[in-house]
Amino acid sequence: MTKLNIEVVNKSVPLSSGVAYVFGVGSYKDKLQISDSLVETSSLAKVDLKALGAKTTFEHMTRLQGPDGSIYLAVGLGDEELNDEQFRQLAGAAVRNLGDIEKVVIGLPTNSSSASLAVIEGALLAHYEFTEYKSVKKSRKLTDVTVLAREVPFSAQIDEAKTVVEAINLVRDMVNTAPNDLYPQTFAALMQKAARGKGVTVEIWDEKRLTAEKCSGILSVGKGSVRPPRLVKIEYKPRGAKKHLALVGKGITFDTGGLTLKPGLGMLGMKYDMTGAATVGHAALAIAALKLNVRVTAYMCVAENMPSGTATRPSDIIKYRNGKTVEITNTDAEGRLVMADGLILASEQKPDLIIDVATLTGGARVALGVRTTGLMGVGAGIDTLVEAANKSGEALWAMPLPKELRALLNSETADMVNSKLGDPTGSMLVGGHFLKEFVGYHDREKKNQIDWAHLDIAGPASNDGAPFGYTGKGASGVMLRTLVQVAKSL
Ligand code: BES
Ligand code: ZN
Ligand code: ZN
């Protein structure tokens, strides 16, 4: 990936040869029109853009010849009023459609500095590509982005956007890496490397330490693999921080289902099952890099879920470090087993808020599709996340934890089962119920459970469909922006 030079200019620039100039087209009184833009488009005044194929459909791209060898890119703006996230998407779509062009000038109809900043973010996010395994790398040629905007963001804001996008891209790299290269030890090593110089402490618990600490979920899921599991803990503790945010991430480096084996098609793509852990780890590092004044502890629960002679059997019962017992009826519901350890550890610190991120259930995809994150939680968890996602522009929807579904986790012999085999009822919500059982209390007598939010990112974590907006194929790095936003809001 080439590094992008970003420049923001608050006036028109002369058109030059080989450079692409992006402007929006919308409709006004049913007629297609070039929308307000600092891009010089006077040569198009008498051109019938519609006849040349331009459309106002959101993200629709039309390339036109501009004066003196310049290139115009007319982008459909849709027919709604545009918010920052839509500017982010439009800029991303433009950047993805540049082919071999090296320089682009973007003049979208933004009218606030936050919208201009969104354009920058969209361009940076869309520029990501993953070519690690290609013997012949056909990389993007883009090197320079100039954003034309009447309202210019502060350079500190641009730097912050760059830091956040870099963190997102590191998540994408880890998720896109093949599971024969990315497994618990290498996951831990990569995190440790990324953490260097960021002013955080990193702890890596190996299988011995996990045993000593009674992290039975991670151990139970990991024991079918020849690659032993890990817990990675990153702590950022700035002096004077008044609030403590705990993050917990699901880090299944590959999910075969274990002995409750997934069918071939269902197993495809399961390298992405460590997205939650990568997301919370890099979010913590981004928060540290931004020097936000909030204490953050991230717990990454990392294991490979494999079937073997040493694997956990359906019917095995495990006992957690908080005393709770779980009968494992389905070894494919492994995410909640490893997350339970992280939630217990996080709860012991009595943080102000716990957020967990996991590709937890196929049910989340059934319920919400593949672009929206499912949110469940207790206390202020829900509201805090909804507000943060509104600011970051990421799609998230609050779901209930209906009381009656809790009964689906009742066990004859242990405190709970991890899943009722063959009953897909409210699968995402039952997953939420299971996790909730492991969220601690400030004071159990007073029944004041720690504020908690659970993000099921099984849908949007990876894009297997066509690219859209700033999202290409593969890992998306979704929810990292929202986590940083939460840290800011605390
Ligand atoms: N990693 C999967 C979740 C998943 C499934 C993501 C399909 C994307 C597509 C998780 O470990 C899993 O297998 N969940 C089970 C839970 C069930 C057994 C309660 C599921 O959703 O089928
Ligand atoms: Zn599974
Ligand atoms: Zn899984």
Side-chain angles (χ1 to χ4, degrees):
M1 214 171 4
T2 48
K3 218 170 142 62
L4 274 192
N5 299 311
I6 302 267
E7 199 189 2
V8 191
V9 177
N10 68 349
K11 57 177 196 305
S12 290
V13 293
L15 303 176
S16 353
S17 175
V19 178
Y21 295 84
V22 178
F23 58 83
V25 289
S27 54
Y28 181 70
K29 293 190 173 154
D30 283 342
K31 274 193 67 185
L32 187 143
Q33 274 209 344
I34 296 179
S35 69
D36 173 48
S37 178
L38 284 171
V39 168
E40 172 54 60
T41 56
S42 51
S43 68
L44 295 173
K46 294 212 169 78
V47 174
D48 182 354
L49 290 177
K50 208 170 182 176
L52 293 174
K55 286 195 176 122
T56 61
T57 312
F58 192 72
E59 282 186 24
H60 184 276
M61 298 284 155
T62 313
R63 250 200 219 202
L64 304 160
Q65 196 174 36
D68 307 322
S70 64
I71 300 141
Y72 281 135
L73 197 56
V75 185
L77 299 178
D79 43 28
E80 282 169 35
E81 201 174 330
L82 296 169
N83 59 28
D84 289 356
E85 173 62 9
Q86 282 159 327
F87 280 117
R88 210 174 271 117
Q89 300 285 5
L90 289 167
V95 163
R96 277 192 304 96
N97 280 280
L98 291 175
D100 284 346
I101 295 170
E102 291 166 19
K103 293 188 170 143
V104 65
V105 176
I106 305 178
L108 291 169
T110 53
N111 52 20
S112 67
S113 63
S114 70
S116 323
L117 194 62
V119 169
I120 296 170
E121 287 170 353
L124 287 167
L125 285 165
H127 188 57
Y128 175 81
E129 58 193 346
F130 184 73
T131 56
E132 191 59 34
Y133 294 96
K134 294 282 189 192
S135 57
V136 180
K137 302 189 200 300
K138 280 184 265 156
S139 283
R140 281 178 209 289
K141 299 285 187 298
L142 185 66
T143 56
D144 291 84
V145 178
T146 305
V147 175
L148 304 184
R150 292 194 173 87
E151 314 276 345
V152 178
F154 296 116
S155 67
Q157 291 176 300
I158 300 175
D159 290 344
E160 180 179 321
K162 284 182 183 163
T163 300
V164 171
V165 173
E166 267 165 36
I168 291 172
N169 289 347
L170 287 172
V171 173
R172 289 159 140 182
D173 279 347
M174 284 182 94
V175 177
N176 287 331
T177 298
N180 53 330
D181 289 328
L182 192 105
Y183 44 91
Q185 287 115 307
T186 55
F187 178 103
L190 281 172
M191 269 300 163
Q192 194 158 40
K193 193 171 150 215
R196 230 170 271 158
K198 297 255 164 68
V200 299
T201 53
V202 182
E203 272 183 40
I204 297 173
W205 292 4
D206 63 7
E207 61 275 29
K208 271 202 208 115
R209 179 78 190 267
L210 287 166
T211 309
E213 302 281 355
K214 300 196 175 73
C215 289
S216 314
I218 298 174
L219 286 165
S220 158
V221 173
K223 77 196 180 91
S225 172
V226 293
R227 292 150 170 170
R230 294 288 182 265
L231 178 120
V232 185
K233 180 176 162 188
I234 291 183
E235 180 151 44
Y236 166 60
K237 205 172 174 182
R239 217 168 289 156
K242 295 213 169 56
K243 297 282 181 166
H244 184 192
L245 170 65
L247 303 172
V248 181
K250 171 174 173 180
I252 302 301
T253 58
F254 196 74
D255 183 11
T256 64
L259 288 175
T260 317
L261 197 63
K262 286 182 183 294
L265 269 178
M267 206 184 289
L268 261 187
M270 281 303 147
K271 68 174 183 180
Y272 98 133
D273 218 16
M274 36 57 72
T275 305
T279 305
V280 302
H282 286 295
L285 295 180
I287 291 164
L290 297 176
K291 300 199 160 52
L292 300 185
N293 190 25
V294 50
R295 178 178 168 199
V296 180
T297 317
Y299 300 84
M300 290 151 261
C301 311
V302 193
E304 186 179 47
N305 189 21
M306 297 289 269
S308 77
T310 58
T312 289
R313 289 159 290 262
S315 295
D316 281 0
I317 293 176
I318 59 172
K319 184 172 184 175
Y320 280 93
R321 77 187 245 137
N322 66 354
K324 267 200 176 43
T325 58
V326 171
E327 178 192 356
I328 298 167
T329 44
N330 186 339
T331 64
D332 195 13
E334 84 298 338
R336 57 199 71 185
L337 297 175
V338 302
M339 294 296 277
D341 284 321
L343 290 169
I344 295 169
L345 290 167
S347 297
E348 287 171 4
Q349 305 297 315
K350 307 230 159 123
D352 297 287
L353 174 63
I354 302 176
I355 305 175
D356 81 67
V357 186
T359 48
L360 204 73
T361 63
R365 300 165 67 91
V366 176
L368 293 170
V370 291
R371 293 193 189 180
T372 303
T373 294
L375 164 66
M376 287 138 275
V378 296
I382 298 263
D383 286 350
T384 306
L385 268 290
V386 168
E387 248 170 64
N390 279 339
K391 287 213 177 104
S392 72
E394 296 194 283
L396 154 157
W397 200 256
M399 306 295 291
L401 291 174
K403 278 209 171 58
E404 71 280 7
L405 289 183
R406 172 61 184 79
L408 289 173
L409 292 172
N410 292 345
S411 164
E412 299 271 317
T413 45
D415 296 340
M416 282 198 280
V417 296
N418 71 330
S419 145
K420 192 161 180 224
L421 209 64
D423 186 350
T425 307
S427 166
M428 165 171 49
L429 314 177
V430 176
H433 264 300
F434 185 93
L435 297 182
K436 181 171 181 266
E437 293 289 327
F438 292 89
V439 177
Y441 290 77
H442 289 291
D443 182 342
R444 189 172 281 275
E445 299 294 294
K446 293 186 183 141
K447 298 193 169 136
N448 51 354
Q449 201 165 16
I450 298 169
D451 287 344
W452 164 68
H454 161 52
L455 300 174
D456 194 333
I457 55 166
S462 181
N463 176 28
D464 305 325
F468 61 94
Y470 52 75
T471 308
K473 279 208 174 266
S476 65
V478 75
M479 285 299 129
L480 191 140
R481 275 158 46 206
T482 300
L483 294 180
V484 172
Q485 188 57 52
V486 169
K488 280 184 168 180
S489 75
L490 286 180

